Amino acid sequence: MYRSISRQALLYGFLLKPILALPRTRDSNETTFNWASIEPSSNLQYNDCYNGYKCARLEVPLDWQEASQGNGTSLKAAIAIVTLPATVREDDPNFGGTILVNPGGPGGSGTEFVLSEGAYLQSIVDEDKHYNILGFDPRGIGLSTPSADCYRNDFARASDAIQQGGLSPTDPDTFGLKMYYETAKGVSDLCAELGPESIFPYMSTASVARDMLEIVDRVDELGKKTFKCRRSENTDELPKLQYLGFSYGSFLGNTFASMFPGRVGRMVIDGIVDADDYIQTNMGKALLDAEKVLDTFYETCFDAGSECLLREDTDKSAQDIRNKVNLLLKNLDDPVSIVYEGRVRHITSHTVRDVLRQMLYQPINLYEPASQLLALALTGNFTNFMQTPTSLANSVQPAEMCVNPSASYPPSDFALNNEGGNGVFCSDAYVDPDLRNVTWANDVVKAYAAQSPTLAESWSRVILSCSGWKYDAKYAFRGPFGAPGPDKTGKNKDTPSAPLLILSNRWDHATPLSSAYVTSQQHGDSSVIIQEASGHCALLVSKSKCVKDHVSTYFATGVVPANGTVCEPDCVPSIPYKECPGFANS
Ligand SMILES: *[C@@H]1O[C@H](CO)[C@@H](O)[C@H](O)[C@H]1NC(C)=O
Ligand SMILES: *[C@@H]1O[C@H](CO)[C@@H](O)[C@H](O)[C@H]1NC(C)=O
Ligand SMILES: *[C@@H]1O[C@H](CO)[C@@H](O)[C@H](O)[C@H]1NC(C)=O
Ligand SMILES: *[C@@H]1O[C@H](CO)[C@@H](O)[C@H](O)[C@H]1NC(C)=O
Ligand SMILES: *[C@@H]1O[C@H](CO)[C@@H](O)[C@H](O)[C@H]1NC(C)=O
C-alpha cells in the first residue's frame, strides 16, 4: 500500500488549500454528471447526481452592489452546488439542517470537496442531529460559470506553467526572481485583457459571502416549500448559515460573520487565516510556525530508525537529517536535468521544496512517501519526483490537453487553473499594480525567508502571482473583521445565534495558531480548540474523538467548550505509515 504524492494532491496544492486525505477516492461511485444539462435558476432546483448526491446551478447577480441598488442586473453567475443529503428525511425531528462547507484555496472546489470528503465531514457533525452537507464552487471556480479563465485553452496554460516551473525565486535580486516576477505579471496582463465585463472584478470574498447568504435563503425557501410544517412558527426570523470552513474558508467565514453577523447560526472554522494579515500584508505571518512543523518530520524520521530510508547510521540526531536535506537544496541551485519518458525534465530546489511544503499539509499520509522520495534524491535519483504535484503542474500532457482543447465546460482539468485563486486573493488584497513592483517581490521573499528559509521560495510564488494584478473588486469587504457574541436578551437581532468555534492544530505550517487567537479576539465569546498535532487544519490531518464531540455538540446546541481547550488526536504520523482507522482510506 504505497501512498504517493500524486496527482490528487495537485487539486489542493496551492495557497492554503489543504491536500486532503490522499488519495481518498470519491465516496460516490458515479464519477460524471452532465452539468450543462441543468439550466441555472434563481431558486434552488436540485437534480439527482453522482449516485446519492444532489446537484444544482444557482443563478446570482454578478454584481451584488448593483443588485442591492435595485438596478436591473444583466450579468449573472451560476454557482455549482453539490449536496450530500442527511441520513434522515428533512421532516424528521432529528434533522439538523444544511451545513455549507468550503475547502480553502482561494480557488478550492466545494463540489469536489463534498464528493470526496462529504461523508467524512458528515460523520464528524452527525450525532443526535443529522445534516445535509452542501459544497459549492465559489464564483469563477470549478464548475461555476462564468469561469475565471484567462487562457484560450489548457494547452496554452500548461505551456506557460512550464516557463514558470523551472524558475526559482529563492533569493532576492536574482535572475530567477526577476523572471518569475515578470512571468506572473504577464499572466496578470493576460487576465486584464478580459476587461470589466469578465468575472474578475466580481470575485472578491465579499461576493462569495453574499452568495452564501443567497444559498442559505434559497435552501430555506426550498425546505419550506417541500416540507411545509417543518419550520418553526417564528416567521420573522431570517434563515441562518451553518458553516464549516477550512483554511481560506476561515477567512470566508470570518468575512460572512463580519458582514452579516445576524445571519450566523453555527460557524466552525479550522486552520485559521488572520484576516487583516491576508488583506493588508499578503499573508505575511503565514509561515511563522512552518519550520516547527518541518522539525516534526525530521523527528518522526529519526525516531523511525532504519525504517526511515532517509535516516542513515551516521545520523546522530534529527538535525543531522535536516542538514542533509538542506545541503541537497543548496546543491540544486545548480539544476539537474533528467530524461523521463522520452522528454527532458528539470529538477530544481523548487521541486524538492514543494514536496516538503506539500507533505506538511498531511503528516500522517505523506511523511513516509516524502521520506522515500528524499532518500532517493540524496542518491541522485530524481525519477520519482516526476509524479509529484509540482512536476505534474509544470508538464504538458498532450494526451489530456490535445484531445479536445475546445471542451471548456465542464472544464477538463480545472486543477491546473490558477487564475480563479488569483481572482479572489489578488482582488481581496488589491493594491495599485505599480506598488507590486520588483522591489515588492524582493521584500516578499525576504520576509518569508526570515520566517521559514525552507518554504519561503515555494510560498513566495503564490504571493508573487499577484504581480501586476489589475482588477480591484467592485464589491469588497476589507474590515473591520469581527462581531459581538450572541445577544442573550434576544433583543439584538444583529448578532450570531452561537459564538464561533475555532479549530487549530498546535503547529500548522500555513496558518499558525496565533492567527486563531487573533480571530477569536475579533469574535465575542468564541472559543479556540487546539488539537495537539502538526499539519494544516485539525479535522483534515487526523481523527480526534475529542474534537469531533465538541464539533457535533456545537452544531446541535450552539455550546462551545472553554476557550483554549486542548484535544489529543487519535493518531500520530509515523514511518512506516500507520493507518488511522476511519480517517484516510488510502
Ligand atoms: C454504486 O453504488 C450503489 C449503492 O452503493 C450500487 O447500488 C450500485 O450498483 C453501484 N454502481 C456501480 C456501477 O458499481
Ligand atoms: C443604478 O441606476 C441609477 C439610476 O439609473 C444610476 O444613477 C446608478 O449609477 C446605477 N448604479 C449602478 C451601480 O449601475
Ligand atoms: C530510481 O528509483 C526508482 C524507484 O526506486 C527505480 O525504479 C529506478 O530504477 C531508479 N533509477 C536509477 C537510475 O537508479
Ligand atoms: C517600487 O515601488 C516603491 C513604492 O512606490 C518604490 O519606492 C520603489 O523605488 C519601486 N521600485 C522600483 C524598482 O521601481
Ligand atoms: C481565547 O483565548 C485566546 C488565547 O488566550 C485569546 O487571545 C482570545 O482573546 C480568547 N477569546 C476570547 C473570545 O476571549
Side-chain angles (χ1 to χ4, degrees):
M1 196 175 23
Y2 177 76
R3 284 153 318 288
S4 60
I5 300 182
S6 66
R7 182 155 196 81
Q8 182 72 20
L10 185 59
L11 284 169
Y12 296 99
F14 302 109
L15 170 68
L16 304 176
K17 258 181 262 181
I19 302 178
L20 301 166
L22 305 177
R24 193 191 289 273
T25 47
R26 278 187 178 178
D27 294 316
S28 165
N29 61 2
E30 197 178 303
T31 53
T32 59
F33 176 68
N34 182 6
W35 284 85
S37 71
I38 314 184
E39 247 348 280
S41 60
S42 57
N43 56 354
L44 189 62
Q45 292 180 11
Y46 276 130
N47 300 259
D48 290 334
C49 59
Y50 301 109
N51 196 7
Y53 295 75
K54 299 205 173 293
C55 292
R57 295 177 71 194
L58 183 67
E59 194 169 74
V60 294
L62 207 54
D63 187 343
W64 277 114
Q65 180 97 41
E66 192 191 54
S68 71
Q69 287 166 359
N71 294 22
T73 48
S74 45
L75 299 172
K76 306 274 191 202
I79 308 299
I81 291 173
V82 172
T83 296
L84 174 63
T87 54
V88 296
R89 275 172 55 101
E90 294 200 8
D91 51 0
D92 189 290
N94 292 324
F95 176 63
T98 298
I99 297 176
L100 274 65
V101 298
N102 178 280
S109 159
T111 61
E112 191 66 36
F113 190 53
V114 164
L115 290 172
S116 62
E117 304 299 309
Y120 171 64
L121 298 175
Q122 195 174 57
S123 78
I124 291 170
V125 295
D126 271 26
E127 198 65 52
D128 297 336
K129 295 220 164 154
H130 307 283
Y131 303 87
N132 296 332
I133 306 293
L134 182 155
F136 63 99
D137 289 350
R139 46 177 56 217
I141 309 296
L143 298 159
S144 290
T145 54
S147 176
D149 183 351
C150 305
Y151 283 90
R152 290 180 191 159
N153 55 54
D154 289 344
F155 187 84
R157 177 182 296 108
S159 302
D160 277 9
I162 290 181
Q163 290 190 40
Q164 273 189 310
L167 301 169
S168 256
T170 318
D171 300 310
D173 300 315
T174 55
F175 178 76
L177 186 140
K178 286 174 199 164
M179 273 298 278
Y180 189 88
Y181 168 80
E182 276 303 316
T183 310
K185 198 146 81 62
V187 175
S188 293
D189 288 342
L190 182 68
C191 292
E193 285 183 357
L194 295 172
E197 297 275 284
S198 72
I199 180 99
F200 285 105
Y202 306 104
M203 285 192 76
S204 79
T205 298
S207 294
V208 183
R210 181 61 188 81
D211 290 342
M212 287 214 293
L213 189 61
E214 192 67 13
I215 294 172
V216 168
D217 284 341
R218 300 289 79 86
V219 165
D220 184 74
E221 180 183 75
L222 180 65
K224 282 191 174 120
K225 208 164 70 188
T226 318
F227 300 95
K228 288 193 178 60
C229 47
R230 170 163 64 82
R231 309 287 154 149
S232 72
E233 267 78 79
N234 188 358
T235 45
D236 67 335
E237 173 134 318
L238 292 167
K240 299 201 171 185
L241 171 72
Q242 306 196 90
Y243 180 71
L244 178 52
F246 298 93
S247 191
Y248 158 80
S250 73
F251 175 76
L252 174 57
N254 194 347
T255 300
F256 184 99
S258 306
M259 290 174 73
F260 314 112
R263 304 297 298 275
V264 176
R266 303 280 186 272
M267 183 172 290
V268 177
I269 51 178
D270 186 0
I272 308 303
V273 171
D274 175 336
D276 294 308
D277 183 47
Y278 169 99
I279 290 280
Q280 289 163 21
T281 47
N282 312 296
M283 303 278 313
K285 295 181 197 156
L287 298 183
L288 279 175
D289 289 341
E291 294 293 326
K292 294 222 174 66
V293 186
L294 199 52
D295 281 337
T296 70
F297 168 68
Y298 292 118
E299 282 154 16
T300 303
C301 177
F302 185 76
D303 293 346
S306 59
E307 297 275 12
C308 179
L309 298 181
L310 189 54
R311 182 182 166 176
E312 295 164 303
D313 293 343
T314 46
D315 294 319
K316 297 293 172 236
S317 65
Q319 183 63 39
D320 286 347
I321 306 175
R322 188 190 251 271
N323 291 345
K324 283 192 304 197
V325 175
N326 285 349
L327 185 62
L328 172 70
L329 292 171
K330 174 129 196 45
N331 289 343
L332 283 172
D333 285 346
D334 298 328
V336 171
S337 70
I338 67 168
V339 170
Y340 181 76
E341 292 186 344
R343 292 178 50 202
V344 179
R345 309 286 290 275
H346 294 104
I347 303 286
T348 66
S349 66
H350 172 65
T351 326
V352 178
R353 285 181 202 282
D354 220 45
V355 164
L356 295 170
R357 182 175 75 91
Q358 297 280 349
M359 76 176 183
L360 298 183
Y361 284 93
Q362 277 286 326
I364 288 181
N365 285 311
L366 296 181
Y367 276 5
E368 185 200 48
S371 69
Q372 293 166 346
L373 271 178
L374 293 167
L376 277 171
L378 286 172
T379 70
N381 181 340
F382 294 101
T383 309
N384 288 9
F385 276 89
M386 290 300 105
Q387 292 303 318
T388 63
T390 304
S391 88
L392 286 169
N394 297 335
S395 52
V396 183
Q397 288 157 343
E400 281 173 50
M401 303 287 180
C402 295
V403 173
N404 191 3
S406 62
S408 59
Y409 183 73
S412 53
D413 191 354
F414 58 77
L416 287 173
N417 178 335
N418 238 349
E419 300 110 82
N422 290 357
V424 179
F425 177 59
C426 305
S427 59
D428 278 344
Y430 180 81
V431 296
D432 187 320
D434 289 343
L435 294 176
R436 285 190 177 138
N437 58 19
V438 76
T439 309
W440 166 80
N442 274 315
D443 289 346
V444 166
V445 175
K446 280 183 210 157
Y448 280 135
Q451 285 169 30
S452 173
T454 316
L455 300 194
E457 186 267 349
S458 233
W459 197 264
S460 297
R461 291 172 162 252
V462 177
I463 308 303
L464 296 191
S465 64
C466 291
S467 305
W469 189 257
K470 294 190 179 58
Y471 292 105
D472 194 3
K474 286 267 166 62
Y475 181 67
F477 181 84
R478 299 195 170 109
F481 290 94
D487 176 42
K488 290 174 188 79
T489 67
K491 286 200 192 100
N492 185 354
K493 297 233 178 298
D494 218 20
T495 60
S497 313
L500 266 59
L501 180 57
I502 300 173
L503 311 181
S504 176
N505 285 322
R506 175 72 68 187
W507 304 119
D508 183 321
H509 74 295
T511 53
L513 174 59
S514 54
S515 299
Y517 292 151
V518 168
T519 305
S520 176
Q521 284 152 26
Q522 295 166 344
H523 292 273
D525 302 337
S526 62
S527 269
V528 179
I529 297 179
I530 303 137
Q531 180 172 265
E532 282 298 350
S534 294
H536 187 44
C537 300
L539 294 175
L540 299 181
V541 310
S542 185
K543 257 185 56 170
S544 164
K545 184 170 176 350
C546 169
V547 177
K548 180 211 160 16
D549 287 349
H550 287 303
V551 169
S552 56
T553 299
Y554 171 77
F555 272 110
T557 64
V559 173
V560 296
N563 188 15
T565 293
V566 173
C567 278
E568 295 298 328
D570 295 355
C571 308
V572 294
S574 69
I575 299 173
Y577 165 79
K578 272 202 219 70
E579 199 179 326
C580 189
F583 176 61
N585 56 4
S586 45

